[in-house]
Amino acid sequence: MNWALFGASTIASQYMISAIRANAGQVSWVVSGSRDRAERYARDNGIARGTSEMEEALNDPSVDAVYISSTNEKHKDQALAAIAAGKHVLCEKPLAMTLSDAARMVAAAREKGVTLMVNHHLRCAGSHRAIRKLIAEGAIGALRSVRVFHAVHLPEHLRGWRLDNPGAGGGVVLDMTVHDTDTVRFLLGEDPVSVTAETDATGMGAGVEDSAMSVWRMQSGTMVFSHVSFNHPFGTTGVEIHGSDGAIFAPGVISQDPKGEVWLTTSEGRREITFDRGNLYDSVLVEFGKAVRGEAHSGATGLDGVKSLAVALAVREAARTGQRQPLQFEEIA
């Protein structure tokens, strides 16, 4: 597959370009708001062409797919343009800034007959796939609760708009709660029906929240607690899932790399669960390729992206109003 990148981003240079090439693909264009930046990024990453005009890339008939990793407010327009040009799209989260825009993107891809997927990479980690399998097999019995801890320190090179630009989609909720949502939905195979939340600005940035705690009620009645933050310099990540017959403890598994551990504890004792430690983004591209070919896959669809955005927006609204926010996904579907 031949790709154009929309966004001269860190995630593309650190992870996605190599993943595309590892899956027998090539990157022939990078589009940035600045032509100079695009051309410099292209030279640094071995990409043939850089431009500030996305139409140049979209008019290239050799381009099959577009990877969007620009700032959040640009996702909708860039994805709709790529879809209209008949290109498949892999978009960074959140899919859009509003539910109506996200739903419009999904509908446009469906009507055009192209693939739209969201780069929720955690569901492609071997650790989370192993956890999902344990739950599905009944290893811990009836589910009782889930705890996701994702409160860490935002690296220096990723700061900027995430900390001071609400118009660009800044704030920890749109950046991290969406990942927690997709991960929990993937692990449990069900959706939240309501959320309550609190957010805080602890001095990391200006104009956006840098920490959030939320509690979700799932369709089955299972309760989920999510803690996300940009401002926990000594924080770690992980997932705990508790059931009637056991528990799963998975420290360190909320990561862009295949890190962490998975432990199963039951009345028979505690044992470590081994899992595939392959590159997460290679797996994202594998699932994307399956979707393009019309094969069964486990990647995050456009609808998955709409649902993770819906929960994140509900978390923000619950924190703003101090009121529980219901979620009705049948209206989104």
Side-chain angles (χ1 to χ4, degrees), residues 31 38 62 81 87 151 175 269 286 327:
V31 179
S62 72
K87 313 299 185 184
D175 200 62
V286 169
L327 289 156

Side-chain angles (χ1 to χ4, degrees), residues 204-220:
M204 188 79 172
V208 297
E209 80 287 339
D210 59 29
S211 296
M213 292 185 177
S214 56
V215 176
W216 322 338
R217 175 75 68 177
M218 304 300 284
Q219 290 166 320
S220 64

Side-chain angles (χ1 to χ4, degrees), residues 237-259:
T237 75
V239 177
E240 293 179 8
I241 304 99
H242 296 269
S244 58
D245 300 327
I248 299 166
F249 298 91
V253 298
I254 309 290
S255 174
Q256 291 178 287
D257 299 305
K259 296 179 179 178

Side-chain angles (χ1 to χ4, degrees), residues 93 236 298 324:
K93 51 73 202 165
T236 59
S298 58
R324 172 181 169 273

Side-chain angles (χ1 to χ4, degrees), residues 234-295:
F234 305 102
T236 59
T237 75
V239 177
E240 293 179 8
I241 304 99
H242 296 269
S244 58
D245 300 327
I248 299 166
F249 298 91
V253 298
I254 309 290
S255 174
Q256 291 178 287
D257 299 305
K259 296 179 179 178
E261 304 169 0
V262 177
W263 293 86
L264 174 64
T265 300
T266 67
S267 59
E268 297 178 357
R270 183 172 184 260
R271 66 183 176 93
E272 185 172 8
I273 305 298
T274 60
F275 57 86
D276 180 4
R277 293 187 179 270
N279 183 287
L280 278 65
Y281 294 95
D282 286 357
S283 295
V284 169
L285 268 294
V286 169
E287 301 303 328
F288 186 84
K290 290 178 183 177
V292 168
R293 295 189 297 272
E295 301 172 3

Side-chain angles (χ1 to χ4, degrees), residues 69-320:
S69 60
S70 53
T71 50
N72 298 336
E73 86 284 6
K74 298 175 183 175
H75 291 179
K76 183 257 294 183
D77 288 342
Q78 291 178 340
L80 288 176
I83 290 166
K87 313 299 185 184
H88 304 292
V89 174
L90 176 61
C91 187
E92 272 303 322
K93 51 73 202 165
L95 192 55
M97 297 283 284
T98 68
L99 282 183
S100 59
D101 283 346
R104 182 182 169 194
M105 294 158 69
V106 172
R110 185 184 300 123
E111 291 168 8
K112 192 69 176 180
V114 298
T115 295
L116 170 64
M117 292 182 66
V118 185
N119 195 13
H120 281 306
H121 62 284
L122 291 171
R123 63 165 58 211
C124 290
S127 55
H128 293 288
R129 289 176 170 178
I131 294 168
R132 175 185 167 98
K133 186 172 184 288
L134 288 171
I135 294 170
E137 292 174 345
I140 59 172
L143 293 181
R144 297 279 169 79
S145 68
V146 178
R147 185 168 76 96
V148 184
F149 42 108
H150 197 174
V152 292
H153 205 222
L154 186 66
E156 186 90 30
H157 68 280
L158 294 180
R159 298 176 190 178
W161 64 270
R162 287 180 173 84
L163 297 176
D164 62 13
N165 194 340
V172 74
V173 171
L174 287 184
D175 200 62
M176 296 169 73
T177 301
V178 286
H179 273 317
D180 287 4
T181 302
D182 187 73
T183 302
V184 170
R185 289 185 60 250
F186 175 74
L187 295 179
L188 273 56
E190 58 176 323
D191 295 321
V193 296
S194 67
V195 303
T196 58
E198 293 282 352
T199 60
D200 197 7
T202 63
M204 188 79 172
V208 297
E209 80 287 339
D210 59 29
S211 296
M213 292 185 177
S214 56
V215 176
W216 322 338
R217 175 75 68 177
M218 304 300 284
Q219 290 166 320
S220 64
T222 301
M223 294 187 67
V224 176
F225 171 72
S226 164
H227 180 200
V228 296
S229 181
F230 287 150
N231 201 16
H232 281 46
F234 305 102
T236 59
T237 75
V239 177
E240 293 179 8
I241 304 99
H242 296 269
S244 58
D245 300 327
I248 299 166
F249 298 91
V253 298
I254 309 290
S255 174
Q256 291 178 287
D257 299 305
K259 296 179 179 178
E261 304 169 0
V262 177
W263 293 86
L264 174 64
T265 300
T266 67
S267 59
E268 297 178 357
R270 183 172 184 260
R271 66 183 176 93
E272 185 172 8
I273 305 298
T274 60
F275 57 86
D276 180 4
R277 293 187 179 270
N279 183 287
L280 278 65
Y281 294 95
D282 286 357
S283 295
V284 169
L285 268 294
V286 169
E287 301 303 328
F288 186 84
K290 290 178 183 177
V292 168
R293 295 189 297 272
E295 301 172 3
H297 67 90
S298 58
T301 65
L303 182 57
D304 289 320
V306 175
K307 290 184 175 184
S308 63
L309 174 62
V311 174
L313 294 177
V315 165
R316 275 191 168 171
E317 186 65 7
R320 185 186 71 82

